[in-house]
Amino acid sequence: KAGVTQTPRYLIKTRGQQVTLSCSPISGHRSVSWYQQTPGQGLQFLFEYFSETQRNKGNFPGRFSGRQFSNSRSEMNVSTLELGDSALYLCASSYRGGQDEQYFGPGTRLTVT
Amino acid sequence: AQTVTQSQPEMSVQEAETVTLSCTYDTSESDYYLFWYKQPPSRQMILVIRQEAYKQQNATENRFSVNFQKAAKSFSLKISDSQLGDAAMYFCAYRSWGSARQLTFGSGTQLTVLP
């Protein structure tokens, strides 16, 4: 079974632009969670989607948004990029969320210049 | 809100020796999960071991075992017979039993394995 895939793996954007990151979960998994990893703040939860609905949200500004499609693939969008948005963005999928294990993708490295 | 603390930013161990990584957490909940994740240089997070708070028995996965002290809110990871491939950043993480399904991570411990 293929693992969680994230595209693109690396991305360079300019301050003020917007960006969309994609995550394809493991086949059959319906829950997708997003995390931001930075040297200063560590790993922080962004949001979780289940069956196309946002089920949980972390403490991030409204510039960070996401969605999930009927095939469970998820996208996250960051508008009006700031230098501080430079980070590794990790996606994790699980069958239903809750007690199920989360399996992580390789991440997307976003650099904002 | 739950917090997870890893007080050892860096640790080193000789190959084939044993090392213990520390983790403490703060929560008012009685049911929850605790995890250790490994993040090698490839940056892919890999689940090492999982512990349900209601289980008194400490979890074990091959060379990896935990010492779970619920009253002390302590959750340490012991790696036996350390191998070069164990070198990575190790994160301790907490997850609620209930509706909040996100993982709360500690700041990580960078483990170096010396040949």
Side-chain angles (χ1 to χ4, degrees):
Chain A
K1 196 182 263 192
V4 178
T5 58
Q6 292 187 245
T7 56
R9 293 293 310 279
Y10 302 91
L11 203 51
I12 300 175
K13 288 287 188 179
T14 302
R15 191 170 46 184
Q17 288 185 316
Q18 74 165 24
V19 67
T20 300
L21 312 181
S22 180
C23 172
S24 293
I26 291 171
S27 178
H29 284 192
R30 295 164 62 192
S31 170
V32 173
S33 297
W34 289 89
Y35 294 84
Q36 181 197 64
Q37 185 175 20
T38 61
Q41 299 298 317
L43 281 149
Q44 295 184 286
F45 170 75
L46 281 155
F47 28 64
E48 181 209 6
Y49 285 87
F50 180 81
S51 292
E52 303 179 63
T53 302
Q54 187 180 89
R55 193 159 66 171
N56 208 359
K57 188 178 190 304
N59 188 27
F60 276 81
R63 299 186 298 107
F64 292 81
S65 63
R67 59 177 174 168
Q68 187 180 34
F69 302 93
S70 58
N71 61 358
S72 294
R73 189 177 70 85
S74 177
E75 289 181 346
M76 75 159 266
N77 184 77
V78 187
S79 62
T80 318
L81 283 166
E82 301 177 359
L83 296 178
D85 297 332
S86 294
L88 180 69
Y89 289 89
L90 293 166
C91 161
S93 79
S94 64
Y95 179 58
R96 297 165 300 180
Q99 300 179 31
D100 299 327
E101 295 305 332
Q102 292 190 19
Y103 295 86
F104 282 83
T108 293
R109 169 74 67 186
L110 172 65
T111 301
V112 181
T113 62
Chain B
Q2 295 80 27
T3 58
V4 178
T5 302
Q6 293 179 249
S7 59
Q8 306 156 314
E10 298 176 349
M11 293 277 287
S12 62
V13 62
Q14 210 70 38
E15 198 175 0
E17 296 295 309
T18 296
V19 65
T20 299
L21 308 184
S22 301
C23 172
T24 59
Y25 59 95
D26 188 30
T27 184
S28 58
E29 300 174 332
S30 57
D31 291 321
Y32 47 87
Y33 303 89
L34 295 166
F35 304 86
W36 279 97
Y37 281 89
K38 166 185 176 181
Q39 189 177 42
S42 67
R43 308 302 267 173
Q44 177 108 31
M45 294 284 278
I46 301 165
L47 177 65
V48 175
I49 200 164
R50 155 188 171 145
Q51 175 81 44
E52 289 86 349
Y54 68 86
K55 290 185 178 179
Q56 293 187 340
Q57 187 173 6
N58 290 323
T60 299
E61 287 288 341
N62 301 314
R63 299 182 294 107
F64 299 87
S65 62
V66 298
N67 183 6
F68 173 48
Q69 301 289 328
K70 191 172 184 180
K73 296 180 182 175
S74 169
F75 183 61
S76 61
L77 174 70
K78 185 172 82 171
I79 307 174
S80 304
D81 186 24
S82 297
Q83 300 175 359
L84 294 177
D86 295 333
M89 181 72 89
Y90 285 81
F91 291 96
C92 178
Y94 174 103
R95 190 173 80 204
S96 295
W97 183 272
S99 61
R101 295 168 175 82
Q102 72 267 28
L103 292 163
T104 300
F105 288 91
S107 55
T109 296
Q110 181 67 52
L111 178 66
T112 300
V113 180
L114 304 169

